[in-house]
Amino acid sequence: MLFRPAIENDLPAVMRLAERAGAGMTSLPHDEQRLLARMQRSVDTFAGRLPAHEQGFLFVLEDPDTAQVVGVSAIEVAVGLSEPFYNFRIQRTVRASRDLGVYKNLELLTMSYDHTGHSELCTLFLDPDYQKNRNGLLLSKARLLFIAAFRELFSAQIFAEMRGVLTDEGKSPFWDALGHHFFAMPFVDADRMTGCGAKTFIAELMPSYPIYINLLPEDARAVIGQVHARTAPARSILEKEGFRWTGSVDIFDAGPVLEAETDRIRAIKESYQVAANADLRFPGVPTLVSNTQFNQFRAMLLLPNAQGVIPSLDNIQMDALQIAENDPVRLVALNPEESTA
């Protein structure tokens, strides 16, 4: 499986992925014009034609045997610089009366702009038919090798907004309890508008004052900070790399926002660069390998053979990575528990 930048010709395949992703994937709207614009923005970013606040990288996972695109993931370079990036942050407050002997520890949702200027991991979706053979790990973590190779492009803090809990009918308990009262539209419509770039209405309609969580219905309270069933593996992948939930949630579905210091993310911190020559010794564990080319970035997963050894790169692999002997490559163990650092 080959991880590479998306190009305009990938549009039909990415449209199919967006359709399969369903509601709640704000950054992967099932809208041909919006997806084409997203791809063009990525192409322009790689070409150096955009300022930092407009830059975003879109990648795909390709099955070389069929030339079929089966997954997509992305990195936003710096959010919130051209228009506000909103989240709710959970904060605590205390109400007490000594005379009555009452002491209440309460939680509030307050509008936050904490991630302004931060880089974001987003738009992770893998075709369910390919959710095997560590493909999801490759699709998610190859982005970290790209960040490690071009660290100067990205912020000191990085985050990932996880898709929140939805019912089988595509409804959000959190949205129905809160956002619906201010926006007067179904969750799928608000989600579609945000995915299409129409975000100004959030500031116009969302309450600016704190919201007491204990006033929300039980089913809405229960999903705050929880993820969609399909998103649980993605959350686990990031948490094992060092991401943590510190109390920020999406304003629509209350999915958790995971955060990390960029230089402390395991795959970034432990990756290293060597020459791809015949004497290259790979760790005897599943290993991510990438080239170090910006415009033609490529990554793949190498697995040990029956003897527990990863052989040197063969000609087919080197061609796929678009490298020649002695060109630099970047390596990192796929999983933290197998790390050799």
Side-chain angles (χ1 to χ4, degrees):
M1 303 298 292
L2 183 66
F3 180 91
R4 61 168 176 80
I7 57 176
E8 290 93 335
N9 290 344
D10 295 324
L11 179 61
V14 176
M15 275 289 291
R16 288 193 296 272
L17 292 172
E19 183 177 19
R20 298 200 72 172
M25 281 285 288
T26 304
S27 60
L28 190 64
H30 188 234
D31 183 303
E32 183 171 351
Q33 292 304 311
R34 297 295 177 181
L35 287 178
L36 180 59
R38 180 80 184 281
M39 287 183 174
Q40 186 59 55
R41 183 162 67 91
S42 179
V43 170
D44 290 342
T45 299
F46 276 106
R49 293 192 286 262
L50 297 177
H53 68 273
E54 295 181 12
Q55 291 176 5
F57 299 97
L58 186 66
F59 301 94
V60 295
L61 189 66
E62 177 185 316
D63 183 344
D65 292 335
T66 63
Q68 181 181 0
V69 168
V70 300
V72 60
S73 63
I75 313 169
E76 291 294 322
V77 172
V79 304
L81 298 181
S82 57
E83 60 180 5
F85 187 89
Y86 303 95
N87 288 116
F88 278 136
R89 180 165 287 279
I90 299 174
Q91 296 183 332
R92 298 184 185 277
T93 187
V94 172
R95 292 291 182 266
S97 171
R98 179 174 300 188
D99 292 342
L100 297 178
V102 175
Y103 183 94
K104 294 290 291 184
N105 192 342
L106 302 171
E107 291 185 327
L108 306 172
L109 293 172
T110 58
M111 192 74 80
S112 164
Y113 310 89
D114 290 352
H115 300 104
T116 298
H118 292 179
S119 301
E120 178 189 14
L121 299 182
C122 56
T123 322
L124 179 70
F125 184 76
L126 178 63
D127 187 320
D129 295 337
Y130 279 80
Q131 292 177 3
K132 56 187 177 182
N133 300 331
R134 303 179 177 90
N135 290 334
L137 294 171
L138 170 59
L139 181 60
S140 178
K141 295 188 182 186
R143 295 176 296 182
L144 302 179
L145 278 186
F146 182 78
I147 293 172
F150 307 102
R151 177 65 187 83
E152 69 280 2
L153 298 178
F154 302 98
S155 64
Q157 302 286 330
I158 195 164
F159 72 97
E161 197 173 61
M162 302 279 99
R163 179 159 52 155
V165 173
L166 301 179
T167 67
D168 293 339
E169 296 77 27
K171 293 185 177 182
S172 164
F174 184 79
W175 172 263
D176 289 345
L178 181 59
H180 174 73
H181 297 291
F182 297 94
F183 291 83
M185 65 179 72
F187 172 79
V188 292
D189 291 344
D191 181 66
R192 176 184 53 79
M193 291 178 66
T194 302
C196 292
K199 299 180 180 179
T200 304
F201 72 96
I202 299 175
E204 294 173 339
L205 299 177
M206 206 64 179
S208 57
Y209 46 82
I211 297 164
Y212 284 85
I213 292 178
N214 65 324
L215 297 181
L216 298 176
E218 182 178 352
D219 62 340
R221 298 198 304 269
V223 301
I224 295 175
Q226 302 301 310
V227 296
H228 191 285
R230 290 183 181 177
T231 307
R235 179 176 189 171
S236 177
I237 289 171
L238 293 180
E239 288 180 334
K240 289 179 180 179
E241 290 293 333
F243 284 78
R244 294 290 179 266
W245 180 45
T246 62
S248 287
V249 298
D250 179 76
I251 66 168
F252 285 174
D253 59 22
V257 179
L258 305 185
E259 306 171 51
E261 292 182 31
T262 305
D263 291 330
R264 299 185 67 178
I265 297 170
R266 195 276 317 182
I268 293 174
K269 181 174 61 176
E270 296 182 4
S271 68
Y272 58 97
Q273 188 170 303
V274 292
N277 55 46
D279 296 326
L280 176 61
R281 300 293 180 183
F282 289 102
V285 297
T287 299
L288 290 172
V289 58
S290 75
N291 66 22
T292 59
Q293 302 170 31
F294 181 67
N295 293 320
Q296 299 297 327
F297 186 80
R298 301 287 188 275
M300 62 174 56
L301 177 62
L302 303 177
L303 300 175
N305 59 22
Q307 290 73 43
V309 175
I310 295 178
S312 296
L313 294 170
D314 60 31
N315 290 335
I316 294 177
Q317 292 169 327
M318 293 180 73
D319 287 345
L321 290 172
Q322 298 189 358
I323 58 173
E325 192 167 304
N326 294 323
D327 281 347
V329 293
R330 183 168 287 273
L331 306 174
V332 73
L334 179 66
N335 296 311
E337 61 270 20
E338 297 168 326
S339 174
T340 57

